[in-house]
Amino acid sequence: MTSTHAEEIVVRFTDVVKSYGPVRAVNGINLTIRRGECVALLGPNGAGKSTSIGLMLGLLLPDSGRIEIFGRPPEQAMRSGQVGALLQEGSLIPRVTVRELVGFIRGTYPSAPPLEETLRIANLDDLAGRRVDKLSGGQSQRVRFAIAMAGGSDLVVLDEPTAALDVESRRQLWTAMRAYAARGKTILFSTHYLEEADVNADRIVVIGDGSVLAEGTSDDIKSLVADRTVSIVLGADDPDELRALPGVTSVTVQEGRAHIATIDSDATVLALAARGAVRGLLVSGAGIEEAFVALTERNRPGPVREGSHR
Amino acid sequence: MYAYLRLETLRLLRDGGFIIMSLVMPVTIYLLFSALLLSDHPTNDELVTSMVGMAGFGALGSVVNSCVGVAEDKDIGWLRQLRLTPLSPVAVVVGRGLCAMGLVLLPLTAVGLLGWLVKGVHLDAAHWAGTFLLMWIGIIPMILIGLGAGYLLSVQKAHTYGLLGYMVLSAIGGMWVTIDRLPGWVQPASKITPTFRFGQLSRDASAGHTPAIATVAILAGWAVIGAAFALYSYRRSGRTG
């Protein structure tokens, strides 16, 4: 466990499946994270990010498949103090101070760094004596982050650490996280902001419908993801032909309009014009949701087109 | 474990309203019932019985409070946070159990002091110590069962079932009226309840008798069941919810 080999595998998911009743929240995820990496799990709400994290932390048991954290079952890795975590839900316990709470958590780990160091990284020095129930949203999120890193764990897992934070709080949190990562720690965080994953992660794993849709550096991912949607009134055009136009990554048909996701909207519009297909043209920046649609469609033989065979 | 006990106790001590309520309830009930039920010139035995009964009743009430407190910890995600630390389930359950034992000292001490100073109960020092020490230890099985219920139930259900369990176990355990006045078919069940045995333990101790082996054995049995239940529920609480 103390090997410093650069290729040491910290997290390994092999064909992991987890269902809630009829819903397969995690549907055969394979994932490998190595020591020192900062990895983003990127996906829309309901993609299976939180379930994957629950499985990783031993809070959930997989229906099938294998999960290893530092080469052993999650519960053992947690018990040995190799993992720190920040979960999405849950509030901090009332009537204790920041120092008491973070200090208590720190004390449960076998080889934790000094408390003052953790408080400094999380930018909590000035708030150490404050009751945790008297903190703002951004401040309490920093306390939660301090809890995750208080034990000096080699792996820190953060489930949507910046959800519901304002820009300034978000910036402070990422500064703290980078300071922690700079010590050679492995960090995994989930987010539904492409931009956040882009700026802060070495590697992005895109999750949708409970499986890994794509993974790579942020450039890899961005090249896969359309950044514009071109929309026209469909008329007599065949959606399958539209799909073959330059730049196009996917086509969805809704209420008589074709929504064409593209990585090169200029080329796509010119090609549409050449076909005489420009009717009620709209061009918009694609949100992350469209990006996921594009990725989902790329990865599945059965496309998400609706009503294209009328 | 001690750090956890310390943190939980700190949280509790800073909840002034809760502490006051934990004292007001048993004190009020003790004063009310001893005024209603005792004759104008009660014997010392009657005074002792009434004090011990009310102290036990107050201790059980405090167990229900701990049960609800644990359910609240689960609701706000604190139990899950604990599960993410290296703390073992045994350490968490034992730490929380010791904290609940600390809480039980409030009604025990309050009723004991009232009995001594206001009601004029006479016991020699060894008797006082023995009685309250045995009550304090004898409450352990109920604490473990209460924690188990708290780890398992939502706050609302912990309130409901905590109170229900408290009433039923107090009633059939002879905390309100002695079990020979209960219907014949209930009595065999009464004798195996932890509440009846807890009451018997305290009555024996205050009367200067050595507790019966059956009493100790049944309480120990409940302690084992309670511990297994609490550990099982705590492990479960992290998985679901």
Side-chain angles (χ1 to χ4, degrees), chain A residues 57-61 75 78-81 83 85-87 89-97 100-101 104-105 108-110 131 147, chain B residues 3-8 10-12 14-16 73 75-78 80-89 235 238-241:
Chain A
L57 301 176
L59 294 173
L60 300 168
L61 290 178
E75 204 162 347
M78 302 301 296
R79 194 64 62 76
S80 69
V83 188
L86 180 159
L87 294 182
E89 71 270 9
S91 47
L92 299 168
I93 49 168
R95 298 188 299 279
V96 292
T97 65
E100 285 163 353
L101 180 58
F104 162 72
I105 298 283
T108 64
Y109 286 82
R131 291 274 183 97
I147 287 174
Chain B
Y4 176 56
L5 170 63
R6 197 180 148 271
L7 185 82
E8 291 293 355
L10 209 61
R11 280 173 70 197
L12 211 59
R14 286 180 184 159
D15 193 349
D73 283 354
D75 261 28
I76 63 170
W78 175 233
R80 176 139 4 149
Q81 186 76 64
L82 287 173
R83 267 195 57 127
L84 295 177
T85 68
L87 273 181
S88 73
R235 285 172 163 280
R239 290 255 154 81
T240 55

Side-chain angles (χ1 to χ4, degrees), chain A residues 8-259:
Chain A
E8 189 185 337
I9 290 170
V10 174
V11 177
R12 193 203 292 273
F13 273 46
T14 315
D15 300 325
V16 175
V17 173
K18 174 72 185 175
S19 303
Y20 295 108
V23 182
R24 282 209 161 184
V26 167
N27 192 5
I29 283 190
N30 288 289
L31 180 67
T32 304
I33 297 173
R34 289 167 205 286
R35 185 176 285 273
E37 277 193 298
C38 180
V39 175
L41 279 188
L42 178 67
N45 291 327
K49 302 190 300 286
S50 292
T51 305
S52 300
I53 286 177
L55 289 162
M56 201 175 292
L57 301 176
L59 294 173
L60 300 168
L61 290 178
D63 299 336
S64 65
R66 200 175 148 84
I67 300 165
E68 289 162 289
I69 310 294
F70 293 101
R72 42 174 150 174
E75 204 162 347
Q76 277 182 29
M78 302 301 296
R79 194 64 62 76
S80 69
Q82 288 171 297
V83 188
L86 180 159
L87 294 182
Q88 214 176 327
E89 71 270 9
S91 47
L92 299 168
I93 49 168
R95 298 188 299 279
V96 292
T97 65
V98 171
R99 180 188 301 280
E100 285 163 353
L101 180 58
V102 180
F104 162 72
I105 298 283
R106 175 190 171 276
T108 64
Y109 286 82
S111 52
L115 175 62
E116 300 308 321
E117 199 178 304
T118 299
L119 293 177
R120 186 166 38 75
I121 292 178
N123 194 10
L124 290 168
D125 329 59
D126 299 342
L127 299 170
R130 188 90 67 90
R131 291 274 183 97
V132 293
D133 37 346
K134 304 231 160 68
L135 300 177
S136 72
Q139 291 166 341
S140 42
Q141 194 66 357
R142 295 213 302 277
V143 173
R144 288 151 59 91
F145 177 61
I147 287 174
M149 61 175 184
S153 306
D154 288 329
L155 170 65
V156 169
V157 178
L158 312 152
D159 194 5
E160 307 227 0
T162 61
L165 288 188
D166 59 49
V167 176
E168 176 58 17
S169 305
R170 204 169 275 195
R171 193 191 59 74
Q172 288 186 343
L173 200 72
W174 284 116
T175 306
M177 223 166 313
R178 270 193 293 269
Y180 192 71
R183 301 169 171 185
K185 307 293 189 183
T186 310
I187 293 186
L188 177 118
F189 67 94
S190 68
T191 179
H192 51 254
Y193 302 111
L194 178 58
E195 191 193 331
E196 198 164 81
D198 181 13
V199 175
N200 297 293
D202 311 326
R203 192 156 65 90
I204 299 175
V205 176
V206 183
I207 294 202
D209 288 337
S211 14
V212 175
L213 299 180
E215 58 177 302
T217 64
S218 77
D219 285 343
D220 294 340
I221 300 299
K222 277 194 283 188
S223 71
L224 293 175
V225 168
D227 62 352
R228 290 280 187 277
T229 299
V230 174
S231 154
I232 55 163
V233 174
L234 186 57
D237 290 292
D238 179 353
D240 285 331
E241 285 177 27
L242 297 181
R243 190 186 303 270
L245 297 180
V248 174
T249 55
S250 71
V251 178
T252 53
V253 177
Q254 271 176 331
E255 290 162 16
R257 290 189 73 91
H259 300 277

Side-chain angles (χ1 to χ4, degrees), chain B residues 70-146:
Chain B
V70 164
E72 277 167 0
D73 283 354
K74 181 172 71 239
D75 261 28
I76 63 170
W78 175 233
L79 295 185
R80 176 139 4 149
Q81 186 76 64
L82 287 173
R83 267 195 57 127
L84 295 177
T85 68
L87 273 181
S88 73
V90 173
V92 173
V93 171
V94 172
R96 198 66 177 77
L98 288 173
C99 176
M101 281 185 79
L103 193 62
V104 164
L105 287 176
L106 291 175
L108 288 184
T109 313
V111 172
L113 281 176
L114 274 179
W116 178 41
L117 299 172
V118 179
K119 294 290 166 183
V121 173
H122 282 290
L123 287 174
D124 56 47
H127 261 98
W128 275 112
T131 303
F132 281 87
L133 188 67
L134 277 182
M135 288 183 83
W136 194 47
I137 295 170
I139 198 78
I140 290 175
M142 268 77 80
I143 285 181
L144 290 167
I145 295 167

